[in-house]
Amino acid sequence: MVGLTNESLYSRGLDVIPGGVNSPVRAFRSVGGTPYFVARGEGARVWDVEGVEFLDYVQSYGASILGHAHPAVIGAVRDAATLGTTFGAPTEGEVRLAEELCARVPGMDQVRLVSSGTEAAMSALRLARGVTGRPKVVKFAGHYHGHSDALLASGGSGVADQGLSGSAGVTAGAVADTVVVPWNRVPELDEDVAVVCVEPVAANMGLVPARDGFLAELRAACDRVGALLLFDEVITGFRVDRGGATAMFDVRPDVWCFGKVIGGGLPVGAFGASAEIMSNLAPLGDVYQAGTLSGNPLATAAGLAVLRELTPDAYEQLIATASALADGLASAFGEAGVAAQVPRVGPLVGLFFGSEQPQDYDDAKRSVDGGHYPRWFHGMLSRGIALAPGPYEVMFPSLAHTDADIARTVEAAAEVAADIAAATERAAQEELS
Ligand SMILES: *Cc1c(COP(=O)(O)O)cnc(C)c1O
């Protein structure tokens, strides 16, 4: 029997799945080449179907914070699965996960569980409009809130990566009430605004933190016109801090969205708010929202297992790992003479080529237009380090990444940085001749 190869699977995938992938950024479109097909993962590592090992900084775009196949998660999922996988009646796990989430996030009384971050943001938006009776939603350029129609406009992540401003198939009507504004500037709001959506740490256009005081100013701007403030903590939730960005920055939104970390690698999202706001949801109120697999027993078991591991010590370790990574990468680029920024917020690490840290989406796009990312990506991949195959994603060091892993990453980075410096030099020479 001929062994599976990435090439053969990709080719079969292309026949039956558009682009061969079930999420666009996996397709390697912006970096070129054939995606590796993962056969298995363990801790900080994944192995592709050809048996090649990669040190993994994708970690399912942040869904995996303990590393892959953590024994506590596997055990919890296995135990849950033996009892039945879905019932359409409430289960204890849903109550326990909701209790855990609410206990950790300051100001959040209630959550409803859904099955993805997209669903969380879409439902939160409906809730905000239902509660306020207002139509408009304000979002920041380059922020990603999943792929629901109203929130796709000028989205980060894969939307940015494919060079799209939004999507075909989204009618003018669907986005007529969406206002896109530049990040890190407090927008003019009026009394038609139901909600201002924000990634409190923008992490889908590379990593572009809010400037000092920005979130508090945004809070005040919302209060002046009675608009709700929504923190999309699908990435930051339970990652940047035990209480997410809300605790880290000590600014309280009215509505929250979560995903990724809280599912422990299974499909879960959640949106939450005060009991008063949440009482507008069906069956109590007239904002409808539902889901056959919402609060799925396997997913809640995995989420609870992950949260149990996320002790204060775990956050300290995660941040120390991320700091070592960011500092190591910055010095690797510095020594090679490559202008690069390695922003870090808690355990999140970004990378921009260029001499200045971007402050908004236009800045981020300018950095990406420099074109170094594909060389960086493939240079690292060929040295066994897997990064996201798109320049607008961040790196997700996990609790399974060791000091030795970071050292290896930095060593590889130094070599790739030297390659980038040499290529830049060559291009400059050609320009001259
Ligand atoms: C990933 C992400 C989403 C969408 O979550 P999915 O589970 O992919 O639907 C929404 N908001 C933010 C900030 C994200 O990073």
Side-chain angles (χ1 to χ4, degrees):
M1 200 184 87
V2 182
L4 279 180
T5 64
N6 294 316
E7 204 59 68
S8 69
L9 272 179
Y10 190 45
S11 153
R12 280 166 56 195
L14 286 170
D15 283 343
V16 287
I17 302 170
V21 292
N22 282 309
S23 198
V25 78
R26 298 179 196 166
F28 276 39
R29 281 282 289 268
S30 68
V31 293
T34 303
Y36 54 91
F37 280 67
V38 174
R40 69 185 179 92
E42 191 186 321
R45 287 172 172 66
V46 294
W47 286 264
D48 73 10
V49 292
E50 299 174 13
V52 177
E53 176 182 313
F54 299 102
L55 184 54
D56 183 29
Y57 288 96
V58 182
Q59 295 290 333
S60 196
Y61 293 92
S64 185
I65 194 170
L66 306 181
H68 300 294
H70 190 281
V73 176
I74 300 305
V77 171
R78 190 174 284 148
D79 290 349
T82 60
L83 301 176
T85 57
T86 178
F87 306 107
T91 57
E92 183 191 354
E94 295 164 67
V95 179
R96 288 178 53 209
L97 183 57
E99 284 171 346
E100 273 299 321
L101 299 179
C102 292
R104 285 173 198 230
V105 178
M108 188 171 76
D109 300 332
Q110 297 193 342
V111 288
R112 178 154 284 169
L113 301 178
V114 293
S115 300
S116 70
T118 293
E119 238 187 295
M122 179 186 81
S123 308
L125 179 58
R126 184 181 307 140
L127 175 63
R129 283 171 162 163
V131 169
T132 58
R134 298 176 179 188
K136 276 201 221 159
V137 46
V138 173
K139 80 172 284 287
F140 293 95
H143 289 216
Y144 183 63
H145 304 296
H147 63 92
S148 71
D149 284 2
L151 291 170
L152 254 189
S154 199
S157 187
V159 190
D161 186 40
Q162 315 284 309
L164 305 173
S165 59
S167 169
V170 175
T171 61
V175 290
D177 290 318
T178 303
V179 182
V180 181
V181 297
W183 176 224
N184 265 328
R185 269 167 274 175
V186 177
E188 292 279 337
L189 303 176
D190 60 32
E191 297 195 348
D192 281 340
V193 176
V195 61
V196 176
C197 302
V198 56
E199 283 185 69
V201 181
N204 282 290
M205 50 164 149
L207 193 64
V208 185
R211 63 172 167 74
D212 273 352
F214 178 74
L215 294 171
E217 290 169 36
L218 197 56
R219 172 73 274 179
C222 288
D223 290 343
R224 277 194 292 275
V225 296
L228 301 182
L229 178 61
L230 182 155
F231 275 8
D232 181 344
E233 296 224 41
V234 171
I235 283 182
T236 55
F238 312 97
R239 178 175 290 273
V240 297
D241 188 283
R242 194 171 183 278
T246 307
M248 185 180 217
F249 297 109
D250 199 22
V251 173
R252 286 199 192 173
D254 303 290
V255 187
W256 288 262
C257 294
F258 302 99
K260 298 191 171 121
V261 165
I262 65 165
L266 275 85
V268 187
F271 62 103
S274 64
E276 188 192 343
I277 288 178
M278 293 302 273
S279 71
N280 289 274
L281 277 179
L284 302 178
D286 51 12
V287 177
Y288 194 71
Q289 186 279 332
T292 302
L293 294 178
S294 292
N296 175 267
L298 267 55
T300 53
L304 281 163
V306 167
L307 292 177
R308 221 173 282 127
E309 299 291 320
L310 293 177
T311 59
D313 284 353
Y315 286 104
E316 253 178 53
Q317 184 195 323
L318 199 57
I319 288 169
T321 303
S323 301
L325 176 65
D327 294 350
L329 292 180
S331 40
F333 287 116
E335 276 161 34
V338 173
Q341 310 301 315
V342 190
R344 180 183 67 81
V345 177
L348 292 169
V349 180
L351 170 65
F352 288 108
F353 291 101
S355 49
E356 274 180 63
Q357 164 62 29
Q359 300 300 320
D360 62 20
Y361 190 35
D362 286 340
D363 291 351
K365 283 193 287 195
R366 258 192 300 280
S367 157
V368 167
D369 286 345
H372 286 319
Y373 196 84
R375 188 181 297 277
W376 163 247
F377 170 82
H378 280 294
M380 292 301 275
L381 194 69
S382 68
R383 288 167 176 81
I385 315 279
L387 306 166
Y392 292 101
E393 313 296 339
V394 298
M395 288 171 263
F396 292 103
S398 75
L399 281 163
H401 286 73
T402 63
D403 292 349
D405 291 335
I406 300 301
R408 221 189 103 211
T409 307
V410 171
E411 252 170 61
E415 293 175 16
V416 180
D419 284 353
I420 292 172
T424 310
E425 180 71 15
R426 276 198 306 277
Q429 295 290 343
E430 276 164 29
E431 191 100 324
L432 282 176
S433 63

